[in-house]
Amino acid sequence: MVRVVLMASSIRPTLSSLTISPPSSLPLFNPSPRLSFSVSRYHSFGLKASRVLRQDGNPVRVMASGDVSQSVAAASPENVLEWVKQDNRRMLHVVYRVGDLDRTIKFYTECLGMKLLRKRDIPEERYTNAFLGYGPEDSHFVIELTYNYGVDKYDIGTAFGHFGIAVDDVVKAVELIRAKGGKITREPGPVKGGRSVIAFVEDPDGYKFELIERGPTPEPLCQVMLRVGDLNRSIEFYEKAFGMELLRTRDNPEYKYTIAMLGYGPEDKSTVLELTYNYGVTEYDKGNAYAQIAVGTDDVYKTAEAIKLSGGKITREPGPLPGINTKITACLDPDGWKSVFVDNVDFLKELE
């Protein structure tokens, strides 16, 4: 069991809010003809024939029911979990829904300094995606916005926290955002119990962004904060199933919360997952606004097995998406947070 070390915290929890799934008529993630993460598609696509194929030298059984699974019987649970530690993983993007795509793009580019990387419209499925960030998708963590036709508002709930952005000068960043009409929810200043200078701003849909004063970094979009009901359980899950490293924990008894930072690299050079536990709170309302994080992997089949062994729930069995052959698997963590794992090679092909 991983135990949380309690220390003085330098990060306060945000007050942003998140209910559980969106209406069934809406795409839960970003259904795309090229790389789809729609839950409805997860459960609907399949192959008709029953046969055994070979993929990367390993047997793959295609069931008549349409599920695709790779034989991992030869690998012991210990070997699978050990493999996770060696897998080539990176946080690829975060997906969430907005009510006015052009308005959000304008705010992110003019106020937060992001670049619009690409945009695609899928009229037959009544949604549009926009990808924004601080660098190309093949090397940077980016945001994927989803606009569903005719839906102008979502419930963020109480479970989602905020995104973190590293900036050279928090005061200047806030001045720019204020001048552009942005909403400042926490003025610049040091964190409680620490020296780091931060501020909080809110985008037009109510998503909060923490601005963190830091030196130059290759990954300015540096944090995704989610709230959990059992921090030790979550740390153990993300270490075992996701292969993340526990970078640090901090406790702030004055404000009755503890945080844990996990990721695939140091905080000043890569995007990290910030998990927040508020004393005595075991459940949250997840809303229908935030969707998921996507993570790259060398093998979605072994990844799914590791998730099962670690107590996670597979919501989309590993296998290729119909028509494009991009291999993915989708899961829920112990708190119900969704993640999608995408084959690394297939992901780069999709970008091409």
Side-chain angles (χ1 to χ4, degrees):
M1 174 65 68
V2 179
R3 296 184 178 179
V4 174
V5 180
L6 303 183
M7 297 178 283
S9 174
S10 63
I11 299 182
R12 296 181 60 182
T14 67
L15 300 177
S16 63
S17 38
L18 246 167
T19 62
I20 212 141
S21 299
S24 59
S25 61
L26 298 179
L28 185 55
F29 303 127
N30 68 325
S32 152
R34 298 182 64 232
L35 183 56
S36 172
F37 298 141
S38 166
V39 154
S40 61
R41 283 192 175 188
Y42 287 161
H43 293 286
S44 65
F45 46 67
L47 302 176
K48 300 300 183 183
S50 296
R51 60 189 185 276
V52 175
L53 309 176
R54 296 198 69 82
Q55 178 174 293
D56 301 329
N58 296 311
V60 180
R61 181 175 300 278
V62 183
M63 308 300 292
S65 63
D67 293 330
V68 182
S69 60
Q70 182 167 356
S71 173
V72 290
S76 67
E78 293 78 10
N79 289 342
V80 171
L81 293 176
E82 186 62 30
W83 169 84
V84 169
K85 300 176 184 178
Q86 309 303 321
D87 190 19
N88 182 28
R89 296 188 174 184
R90 179 177 72 87
M91 292 172 65
L92 303 177
H93 54 253
V94 61
V95 186
Y96 53 98
R97 304 171 189 87
V98 297
D100 185 327
L101 194 58
D102 291 336
R103 178 186 65 183
T104 303
I105 291 172
K106 180 179 176 68
F107 180 84
Y108 287 8
T109 55
E110 295 185 1
C111 295
L112 301 181
M114 296 185 192
K115 296 179 181 179
L116 175 61
L117 303 172
R118 60 188 170 106
K119 188 177 178 182
R120 66 184 173 209
D121 183 50
I122 315 297
E124 63 271 21
E125 297 190 31
R126 299 180 57 77
Y127 74 91
T128 305
N129 291 135
F131 295 78
L132 298 99
Y134 296 100
E137 293 176 65
D138 61 357
S139 59
H140 288 74
F141 184 69
V142 306
I143 288 172
E144 178 179 344
L145 302 175
T146 296
Y147 168 70
N148 292 293
Y149 292 7
V151 183
D152 60 5
K153 190 174 182 180
Y154 293 93
D155 176 17
I156 295 178
T158 59
F160 172 77
H162 62 261
F163 303 111
I165 298 177
V167 298
D168 293 333
D169 190 319
V170 168
V171 173
K172 287 185 178 179
V174 167
E175 289 175 353
L176 171 63
I177 294 169
R178 200 193 313 272
K180 296 285 186 178
K183 182 178 180 181
I184 312 302
T185 59
R186 199 269 202 195
E187 294 292 337
V191 298
K192 295 291 184 181
R195 293 178 295 178
S196 298
V197 177
I198 66 167
F200 277 93
V201 301
E202 194 172 287
D203 80 357
D205 289 275
Y207 293 100
K208 283 187 168 57
F209 286 80
E210 179 183 14
L211 305 180
I212 307 166
E213 191 160 284
R214 237 177 232 180
T217 173
E219 194 68 274
L221 188 56
C222 59
Q223 289 179 4
V224 177
M225 193 277 259
L226 305 173
R227 297 184 177 89
V228 298
D230 184 328
L231 191 57
N232 282 323
R233 178 185 64 183
S234 295
I235 291 172
E236 183 175 13
F237 176 80
Y238 281 98
E239 285 183 317
K240 290 176 62 178
F242 280 54
M244 289 185 174
E245 177 186 356
L246 176 61
L247 302 171
R248 63 185 174 96
T249 62
R250 288 192 178 180
D251 181 59
N252 193 329
E254 180 182 358
Y255 292 94
K256 298 183 178 181
Y257 73 90
T258 308
I259 65 165
M261 298 290 194
L262 299 102
Y264 298 110
E267 288 182 65
D268 60 342
K269 295 181 180 179
S270 60
T271 304
V272 301
L273 182 63
E274 177 183 347
L275 301 179
T276 296
Y277 168 70
N278 291 296
Y279 292 7
V281 183
T282 59
E283 294 184 2
Y284 294 92
D285 176 9
K286 290 189 174 59
N288 60 1
Y290 175 89
Q292 69 200 26
I293 289 174
V295 179
T297 176
D298 286 339
D299 191 323
V300 297
Y301 300 94
K302 288 182 180 178
T303 293
E305 187 66 16
I307 290 167
K308 293 175 184 176
L309 290 170
S310 303
K313 179 181 179 181
I314 298 297
T315 57
R316 198 287 189 192
E317 290 295 333
L321 291 167
I324 60 174
N325 295 322
T326 297
K327 295 181 290 295
I328 70 168
T329 190
C331 70
L332 301 178
D333 79 355
D335 288 275
W337 289 115
K338 297 180 184 295
S339 295
V340 170
F341 284 84
V342 186
D343 180 90
N344 285 322
V345 173
D346 293 347
F347 177 70
L348 293 178
K349 290 180 181 177
E350 289 296 326
L351 295 181
E352 295 173 359

